Structure formats: structure tokens, C-alpha cells
Amino acid sequence: MMDKRHAAVGFIFITLLIDVMGWGLIIPVMPDLIAQLKHIPVNEASSYGSLLISMYAIMQFVCAPIIGNLSDRFGRRPVILFSLFGFGVDYLFLAFAPTYGWLFVGRTIAGITGASFTTAAAYIADISTPETRAKNFGLIGAAFGLGFIIGPAIGGQLGSLGLRAPFYAAAILCLLNWLYGYFILPESLDKENRRKFEWKRANPVGSLLHLKKYPVISGLMFSFMLIYLAAHAIQSNWSYFTMYRFHWNERMVGYSLALVGLLMAAVQAGLIRIVNPKLGNQRSVYIGLFCYSVGLFLFAFATQSWMMYAFLVPYCLGGIAGPALQAILAGHVPPNEQGELQGALTSLMSLTSIFGPLIMNNLFYYFTKSTAPVYFPGASFLLGGIFMLGSAVIAYYVLRSEKKPAIA
């Protein structure tokens, strides 16, 4: 039984790693692929790229709770396999896409099936003991961090062989993992522990509305929202900006994003363990958000390629803010509602992933097109820096006005 659990945990880790790697593989080549299919320059392609990201986020926001509830009804195994197969089909759509419309269809499919993180977390909860739960859940963060380091680096390298090469690689990885899981992955949810599917429990906004009864959390949710929106100046716009502004190729974009992943992993897995106990959560939030702002403002006015690498240091130091803010939120919620809090944060992240790319990429395009009132490619980074400062101000006033002690 123990061997089966170890094998299942290993499979889930590989599944999540491949999911993140697959997305990281294609990021460096998306700008040039969209530009090629639409016969437009890279700065204009950023606007179309934002639509692909937003469509994926919309489908995830709507479908992730449904898929999660289906896993409670039919078990984790079929949902995970369905998700893996869906991602494989998506990457094949992207690999053979003759038009931009096909890219849109592929991203829609991926958004519908892309519930692997939610279901994988449920699988880990099913097979973990109280002693191993924290360690096993840590694999989710490790897979995300490692995947975002390896994926862009390999994707940038493959992109130099051809714009479609990373899509073939991502499809092969997903479908091989699906095939392996089909024969190896056991079911983790016993039939007696399953429940009926209920539409009212598959509501993506329910958990957000429920948290209104905690005033501090409601205020800090706005702080988190601005952080998530600001992050899309990097997540959605980085490859378009660097290709347009500094003429980077796919390899350079991939290496730079791998460096982002590496620095963020170093901050959140190492530095925060040293800094947070000394500063405390509140100071970590303020200093981290300030570092984020400084990094984004520096990106906005960068004039040479090396600056983008150098300015990643203050930006990634801002990574101490997120976990500290999350710890403050968790301290205001009783133990039996912690899961709902994390679900609410996931829903909030999905919501901002709908609007963030549209705001940041279209702002970049607006200030780089020929009719722009002012030529300013770094406009998205500037707005992101303002959002981060706004987030710090909101957090400060919400926490300062707090009168009731946090729940232990």
C-alpha cells in the first residue's frame, strides 16, 4: 500500500511538472507564431495573445469548480486522465494551427480540461496521512517552480529549431504521461466517499461572496487583486515587450523567464525563511510590494537588454510579499474555513487572469502603434508598478484600521 502511495505521489508530481513545463515551453514562441499567422508585427500580436490567455482563464474560472465537483462524484483518476488528454489535444491544435482561430479553439479546450492542479491537490489529500500531508502538498509548489524554470528554457531552445517545435514537444509529454497514467495511476477516492454532483456547489464566485463576513479579508482581497493584475505586466507581456523593444529571439526570452522562475524559487523557498521571522508578516508585505514596484518601474524605463536581467533582482525580491499576505489572511479565518479561503484566492487569480492580459497587452500595443500619442513601450510595467503601490496602500490602511485580533 505504501509503495502504491509513493508511486501515485510521484505520478502526480510528474503530471503537474509536465503541465507547467508545457505552458512554459510555448511562451517564448507565441508572439512570433501569432504575428506569422495574422501577418502583423509583434507589438500588435500582443493584443491577440491577450485574447488567448483570457479565453483560457475564462474557461478555467467557469469549469474548474465543475471539474473539481465531478472528481468528487466519479473519482480523481478519470478527471486527471481527461485533463491530461485535453492538454495533449490542445498542444496538437496549436502545433498544426493554420490560422489564429485554431489557436483560439485549442486554448478553449485547454481551459475546459485544465483542472489538473485542483484535482491533483484533491488526489494528494486522499492518499496522504496527517504526517505526510504538508510534505506532499509542497510538491505542488515545487512542480510549479521547477516547471517554470525548465519549460521556458527548453521552449526557447526548441523555438530556434522552428516555431512549432515546442508545441510538438508539449503534446508528446502530455500524451505520454496520459498513457502512463492510464495503465499505472490507481483511483484514490473510494466509492463510499463519493457524493452526488450538485450545480450549486460548483459556483466559482460562491467562496468569494462567502468571505464578505470577514471585513479585513474583504479589504485585503482588493490588495491581492491588484498584485495579480500587476503581475500580468510580466506574465502576459514580457515576451512581446522584449521581442519588440530589444529584438530578443525565442532563446533569450526562454532563458530570461527561466531566470525569473529561478529567482522566485530562491526567494520563496529560501530568503523568506530568513527574512520573514525578522520582519514579521506586515513589514514583509510592505517591503515586498515596494520591491515589486521598483522592479516594474525600472522595467518601464529600461533602454538596454542587460537592464531587463539586472532589474529582475528587485522585482523578484518582492516575492516575500505574497506568502506574508497569505499568512495574514489565513490568520483571520477559522481552521474549518481554510480550504474555502484558498479556493477564493484561486477564483480571484482566475478572475484577474481574464482581465490582466487584456489590460497589460493592449496598453503595450496602444503606446507602440504608429498613432500613439506618446511612444512608450514600458507603459504596462508603469501601470503594474502603480498597482503594486496601490496594493501596499490598501493593505496598510486595512491592517491599521483592524481592531479585532486575528484568529489563532
Side-chain angles (χ1 to χ4, degrees), residues 153-167:
I154 296 177
Q157 198 71 29
L158 290 174
S160 63
L161 303 177
L163 292 179
R164 310 283 178 149
F167 298 100

Side-chain angles (χ1 to χ4, degrees), residues 93-136:
F93 260 89
L94 300 179
F96 293 104
T99 64
Y100 172 80
W102 279 62
L103 297 182
F104 211 79
V105 172
R107 287 286 82 191
T108 302
I109 293 172
I112 294 171
T113 61
S116 55
F117 271 85
T118 303
T119 313
Y123 193 105
I124 287 175
D126 293 339
I127 66 173
S128 298
T129 63
E131 294 76 22
T132 62
R133 188 168 291 132
K135 180 183 72 175
N136 289 343

Side-chain angles (χ1 to χ4, degrees), residues 319-333:
I320 66 172
L325 190 54
Q326 205 161 352
I328 292 172
L329 285 171
H332 288 79
V333 174

Side-chain angles (χ1 to χ4, degrees), residues 161-198:
L161 303 177
L163 292 179
R164 310 283 178 149
F167 298 100
Y168 294 123
I172 291 169
L173 281 174
C174 280
L175 293 176
L176 283 177
N177 199 34
W178 167 76
L179 193 63
Y180 176 74
Y182 182 82
F183 291 106
I184 300 298
L185 185 67
E187 178 54 66
S188 65
L189 187 65
D190 295 332
K191 290 187 177 180
E192 58 268 23
N193 293 327
R194 298 179 190 181
R195 62 173 177 83
K196 288 184 177 181
F197 178 85
E198 299 176 61

Side-chain angles (χ1 to χ4, degrees), residues 227-249:
I227 292 173
Y228 289 150
L229 286 173
H232 279 281
I234 301 291
Q235 294 173 10
S236 302
N237 189 54
W238 179 270
S239 53
Y240 296 95
F241 173 84
T242 52
M243 284 183 165
Y244 174 80
R245 183 76 174 85
F246 301 114
H247 308 291
W248 285 10
N249 56 24

